[in-house]
Amino acid sequence: MEGKKCSMLSPAVSAHTNQLTQLDTNRPVVGSGPVLFGLDAGALAACMLEIGEPVWRGRQLAEAMYRQWVTDLGAVTTLPKPLRGRMVAAGWTIGRPRIVQTFVSNDGTERYLVEGQILDSQTVETVWMPDGDGGEAGDGSGADVPRQSNHESGKEWRRATVCVSSQVGCAVNCQFCLTAKLGLQRNLTAGEIAGQVVAVLDKHVVEIGKERVNLVFMGMGEPLLNYDNWMAAVRLLAKEVGISPQRMTVSTSGVVPGIERLAGDPPEVRPKLAISLNAPNDEIRSEIMPINRKWPIEAVLDAVRKVRLRPRERITFEYVLLGGVTDQPEHAHQVAGLVRRSGLPVKVNLIAWNPGPGIAYQMPQPEAVERFQRVLAADGVPVYLRRPRGRDIFAACGQLKRTTEGAK
Ligand code: SF4
């Protein structure tokens, strides 16, 4: 509680900034008064203190919002009724993000449009993948946990992955990605990032601690270009919601200052790190990911080397295979060489590119994907092929563009 401020999101929201763009977010927020979701117990205690209440009321509020998933301030029964009435009358609100539309894939994946805390008619996308995101046994994704139904609750999954957005749209402009087509609209608040997770866990009645949930910050946006809000959400999810950062993975397109900040943060709040590599060399990478012109591969690897890894932890290289562009055997040999030279414990996740309207790339041939995997494996690189999830509802990697196609 020491040093904590009651800095509730209120109609006078301060501007969020990132390294590429300064955005004005002085926009009205959900409710007429202060919004609580997104504050940790310490900040909530400071808020209670400001209205003359004991600090432990902050813990009660945190328990209600982050453990019991109460969404209505009037229903926080641990607070005395007159106090609740006073807070509601003053316009205080929990303001947790809401799922406003759901799309269900044939493979069980669900994609949601989620409305945030700032009323600008922008929604973001969150994806629920029962039985994980297509990881492989031993790769740390939990894919080695056998699938069986959870008889007590009647659920058909034993582990799940939630893919979370960090911005509305994205400024990075990867040429193979549909989200890039939106451009950057704005950063999400910490409450909007953590709120996607809690809204989805609530929908699926997940029992934290009993059921295994992984989080991947791989939805819309570049998390490390919204570092403060993203990291505040990670801390909230770890401390208040109870999800270990070791069950979280953040994927970056290679934002060097962000990776360096991550390296400086305490390891106990650091999610695992994935680098969205996608190309075997700077020449191709700069073509398909313009950010590489600012921070080329070697600069990214230098930053990654500063991150203190946990025992047995590996850095993931995500590699989207574009037919004829990045999927040739010589590319695989170059990637193997890059892994070797990096001196880092690395695993490579291969993802066959998911097609999207208005993007001219080709899907790789299945034989090319297999061959690529074989070359890397023969070179001793741990390599896994990600099963595409939710392609039919535009929920797969690089497909998030708030399309309303695929509704069931
Ligand atoms: S792949 Fe990720 S970083 Fe690149 S444009 Fe899409 S959302 Fe942004």
Side-chain angles (χ1 to χ4, degrees), residues 170 172-174 176-177 179-180 219-222 253:
C170 187
V172 176
N173 200 20
C174 302
F176 50 83
C177 170
T179 307
M220 296 171 93
E222 163 55 69
S253 55

Side-chain angles (χ1 to χ4, degrees), residues 82-105:
L83 172 60
R84 277 181 266 158
R86 201 151 49 96
M87 291 163 78
V88 171
W92 291 36
T93 173
I94 288 181
R96 191 180 86 186
R98 282 182 329 122
I99 295 173
V100 290
Q101 218 171 344
T102 301
F103 307 88
V104 182
S105 163

